[in-house]
Amino acid sequence: MNFAPITLPIFSQLLEPDGMAPAQDFEESGELICNQIPNEELRTKVRFIIGQIVLFRLGADEEVRRLSKYWRAELSPQIEGEEAEGFVSGFEDDEGLTDLASEAPIIRLVNHLFARSLDLNSSDIHFEPNENYLDVRCRVDGIMTRIERLPVRIHTAVASRLKLMAKLDIGEKRLPQDGRINYQVRSRDLDMRVSTLPGVHGESIVLRILDRSDTSVDLAQLGMPKNVLTHYQKIINQPHGMILITGPTGSGKTTTLYATLEKINSERQKIITVEDPVEYQLEGITQIQANASIGLNFAAGLRSIVRQDPDVLMVGEIRDHETAEISIESALTGHLVFSTLHTNDAAGAVTRLQDMGVEGYLISSSLLAIQAQRLVRRVCTECSELVDINQDEALVLAIEIEVCPQIRRGLGCERCGNTGYKGRVGLYELLLMSDAIRHHIANDADANVIRDQAIAEGMQTLREDALGKLKAGLTTPEEVIRVTRSA
């Protein structure tokens, strides 16, 4: 553990109980006193953390040591061994960590990272400590991208700040913790789910960002093909039965369900949901937050919901036999039930229910439709251009060049962060129940048999929808291959 202390006089005034210096004094008196001027890379990092121009000057060892309790950063191996351990130990108790997390530069740094992630329209922020650095990465349009690399020495302060905001135990570093942060930036209300996980080099912290100011989604905006949208809107207005939305994590299942509930929500219907967690609050709908620690899981919530005289039920996810059984019973007794499953395609949902121990005749009697979906990155509209598709791309996609001679690609611009992509669009595969498909399900047919029957009846697969969006210039061959490889 090698570092030299750095001290900023204005910070010492801010932290002293008797002295509160105005922020504007920083530019006049702000200088970092250190016993060795850092190299350009580290000077840049310190300026980034503080957020303003900083002057560095050499100070005597005695002066540096006297001020070191107020501020420190990784610079050079000037203090080692027991002396270094003693320097750090002052921040290992809860009170010290709280003080550290409340320092102005750490607050500015965390706020800056939140704003940066919001500018990128990211869904998650990852704080990942390793041996030498603290990497900050965001998931933008489903793809991880690093937005900052910071000195690992500030990880304790950043982690403490995040845990303090999430009302977690800042002194507990050995066990995973979960919390929430409600944060407002640029007049936008963000609800961030926080998860901590102890690692070899420190706690990995992930924040899932939910923008409460942008909760209204229309079904027509999701990217469903016209024929799929027409059939789906007809199905969701049925009086009873079960509709399943399937796909891997991050495929937009919850967004589809919320858009569906918004579409059918009216004063004439009672709609109740049980979710884990409740991501967005929908007006006019009763939403229940599942809490397994007190026994309120999906199955227990469902048992209570059916006694509330609902018309429509939404179950966040079918995870076990009990939840599946109650959902199907509800669908058979006059309720319209929506839920999700993690499967690769629509037909695979039937096999998953059978694996949970649900009888085939119950599945065939209750199901109205199964919709599988994925999300692909959308080509940036600001910097895209038409280019010819090459032979290799056509070969991998298993299409003739004549079928799709040209595609759109983004060149990269400021709007899309030089990625060539901005936003995402959905891919959809809607399996509608027919007498033939119900017969196959009741006889415990294999998923491939069900899938082949659905295709014979006109079902458009995920790959076919992806190719349609490729021809329309909405996405690229790389995205089609990446997202539909296992579909």
Side-chain angles (χ1 to χ4, degrees), residues 1-50:
M1 195 176 296
N2 300 325
F3 56 87
I6 305 177
T7 300
L8 184 64
I10 188 65
F11 288 163
S12 65
Q13 293 177 27
L14 286 169
L15 294 173
E16 287 287 349
D18 298 329
M20 288 298 292
Q24 60 265 30
D25 289 344
F26 176 85
E27 293 184 359
E28 298 177 4
S29 62
E31 59 180 13
L32 289 177
I33 304 171
C34 47
N35 47 16
Q36 179 177 323
I37 298 297
N39 59 35
E40 179 60 32
E41 180 184 0
L42 289 174
R43 291 202 301 272
T44 301
K45 289 178 180 176
V46 172
R47 287 178 183 129
F48 167 75
I49 294 168
I50 293 173

Side-chain angles (χ1 to χ4, degrees), residues 296-310:
L296 183 58
N297 54 22
F298 285 131
L302 266 174
R303 279 194 295 268
S304 299
I305 285 176
V306 294
R307 294 193 289 270
Q308 290 281 310
D309 188 30

Side-chain angles (χ1 to χ4, degrees), residues 238-251:
Q238 296 297 309
H240 56 81
M242 185 162 69
I243 300 169
L244 295 176
I245 309 296
T246 75
T249 300
S251 59

Side-chain angles (χ1 to χ4, degrees), residues 329-402:
E329 287 177 1
S330 300
L332 292 173
T333 54
H335 304 91
L336 184 62
V337 180
F338 295 92
S339 192
T340 70
L341 278 174
H342 290 282
T343 61
N344 288 331
D345 59 11
V350 175
T351 304
R352 180 63 55 85
L353 290 174
Q354 291 170 337
D355 291 341
M356 290 180 185
V358 181
E359 296 292 341
Y361 73 91
L362 291 175
I363 300 173
S364 64
S365 301
S366 59
L367 272 179
L368 293 174
I370 307 169
Q371 179 165 277
Q373 62 181 66
R374 298 287 192 280
L375 292 174
V376 291
R377 289 187 292 174
R378 187 192 291 264
V379 173
C380 177
T381 56
E382 295 292 325
C383 63
S384 68
E385 66 175 11
L386 277 173
V387 298
D388 293 334
I389 192 170
N390 61 51
Q391 185 65 48
D392 291 339
E393 290 170 336
L395 185 63
V396 173
L397 293 171
I399 61 173
E400 298 293 333
I401 291 182
E402 294 76 16

Side-chain angles (χ1 to χ4, degrees), residues 207-396:
L207 281 65
R208 177 73 184 273
I209 304 173
L210 305 172
D211 189 352
R212 292 196 177 278
S213 62
D214 185 23
T215 60
S216 180
V217 181
D218 191 272
L219 276 176
Q221 299 174 343
L222 298 180
M224 292 185 190
K226 288 184 179 180
N227 62 324
V228 172
L229 180 61
T230 300
H231 287 304
Y232 187 76
Q233 288 180 325
K234 182 179 179 181
I235 288 293
I236 64 176
N237 283 292
Q238 296 297 309
H240 56 81
M242 185 162 69
I243 300 169
L244 295 176
I245 309 296
T246 75
T249 300
S251 59
K253 299 188 298 295
T254 301
T255 300
T256 299
L257 284 177
Y258 280 163
T260 301
L261 295 181
E262 289 271 25
K263 182 71 175 179
I264 64 176
N265 188 17
S266 72
E267 293 184 355
R268 297 182 178 183
Q269 292 198 103
K270 170 86 169 183
I271 302 176
I272 306 180
T273 74
V274 54
E275 308 169 57
D276 184 22
V278 175
E279 295 194 6
Y280 299 113
Q281 296 176 16
L282 304 175
E283 187 175 353
I285 295 175
T286 302
Q287 295 173 270
I288 300 171
Q289 171 69 59
N291 189 345
S293 63
I294 60 172
L296 183 58
N297 54 22
F298 285 131
L302 266 174
R303 279 194 295 268
S304 299
I305 285 176
V306 294
R307 294 193 289 270
Q308 290 281 310
D309 188 30
D311 297 293
V312 179
L313 308 176
M314 192 271 271
V315 187
E317 182 184 347
I318 294 178
R319 299 174 178 172
D320 51 45
H321 172 77
E322 188 177 14
T323 306
E325 193 174 56
I326 300 173
S327 299
I328 288 175
E329 287 177 1
S330 300
L332 292 173
T333 54
H335 304 91
L336 184 62
V337 180
F338 295 92
S339 192
T340 70
L341 278 174
H342 290 282
T343 61
N344 288 331
D345 59 11
V350 175
T351 304
R352 180 63 55 85
L353 290 174
Q354 291 170 337
D355 291 341
M356 290 180 185
V358 181
E359 296 292 341
Y361 73 91
L362 291 175
I363 300 173
S364 64
S365 301
S366 59
L367 272 179
L368 293 174
I370 307 169
Q371 179 165 277
Q373 62 181 66
R374 298 287 192 280
L375 292 174
V376 291
R377 289 187 292 174
R378 187 192 291 264
V379 173
C380 177
T381 56
E382 295 292 325
C383 63
S384 68
E385 66 175 11
L386 277 173
V387 298
D388 293 334
I389 192 170
N390 61 51
Q391 185 65 48
D392 291 339
E393 290 170 336
L395 185 63
V396 173

Side-chain angles (χ1 to χ4, degrees), residues 98-111:
T98 301
D99 291 342
L100 191 62
S102 301
E103 289 182 359
I106 295 301
I107 294 174
R108 280 199 296 269
L109 171 61
V110 172
N111 291 348

